[in-house]
Amino acid sequence: MSALNDIKNRIGFDNFPLITQHYYSHHSGMLFTPEYPIVVKVGSAEAGYGKMKFDATNQFNDFRGCIAMYDDFATIESFVENRAYDLRIQKIGDKYRSYKRTSSNWKGNVGSSIVEEIEMEDIFMVWIDEASSLFGGMDILTVDAIRTEDGRDFILEINDCASGFLPNREEEDMGHVRDLIINRLEDLIAG
């Protein structure tokens, strides 16, 4: 998260609207939280697992007692109210896609949802290109965000090559990955 914060600090929140996350290496440090409601993610939470929403201190204190049983880190972020839909911005080499996912669940990837490809907005290109420059450069990644009903965006996280593909684009995207790998290998052999 520190690397993402560096991007936000360098180009500004308006250009990289990263949600504020608080990191806790141990349950004993979880004494102060952002204003409720909050979302807590335990460890490397993914696909809706290891993630819970709390509306009040008493709920969170019960949870703290449970997490004390495990040796894992947690992050806490403010719950984004008035979520219209989730965004996923995908990059495979020089191929870009953007999707919106609409769901009745606050965890957009839990239960039934509708996913559709949408037009790539200029700001999405800023997000994905900035994120792809991290860690020496990433050729395959996604940026996950939330768009609210009033049009505000909040970046939640980036995902590496384990992002998964939309089923109706999977074959095409796997072809992009294949081509990217072949090109990288050819560059390595020629270089």
Side-chain angles (χ1 to χ4, degrees), residues 44-161:
S44 298
E46 61 180 81
Y49 296 105
K51 182 164 57 169
M52 293 181 70
K53 176 184 171 224
F54 298 97
D55 294 311
T57 303
N58 61 337
Q59 294 172 324
F60 179 68
N61 286 340
D62 283 348
F63 170 76
R64 277 185 52 226
C66 290
I67 197 159
M69 304 290 294
Y70 301 94
D71 186 27
D72 213 340
F73 71 93
T75 59
I76 298 176
E77 61 195 44
S78 294
F79 176 74
V80 177
E81 302 280 356
N82 302 316
R83 178 178 133 269
Y85 50 86
D86 298 338
L87 293 165
R88 173 161 275 189
I89 316 307
Q90 173 185 297
K91 180 177 181 181
I92 303 171
D94 62 355
K95 309 292 187 218
Y96 297 84
R97 294 189 196 281
S98 57
Y99 301 98
K100 84 176 195 179
R101 178 176 55 201
T102 309
S103 172
S104 59
N105 192 312
W106 71 270
K107 296 181 196 179
N109 54 351
V110 173
S112 61
S113 61
I114 299 170
V115 180
E116 59 186 288
E117 192 165 354
I118 59 173
E119 184 177 330
M120 179 67 76
E121 297 180 19
D122 291 342
I123 195 66
F124 298 167
M125 295 292 288
V126 172
W127 300 350
I128 196 83
D129 285 340
E130 286 290 338
S132 72
S133 70
L134 297 174
F135 315 117
M138 292 186 284
D139 290 318
I140 303 171
L141 73 151
T142 56
V143 173
D144 289 342
I146 292 174
R147 177 158 289 166
T148 61
E149 291 173 2
D150 61 0
R152 294 177 302 136
D153 295 325
F154 296 92
I155 296 172
L156 300 175
E157 63 187 5
I158 63 169
N159 302 286
D160 60 13
C161 61

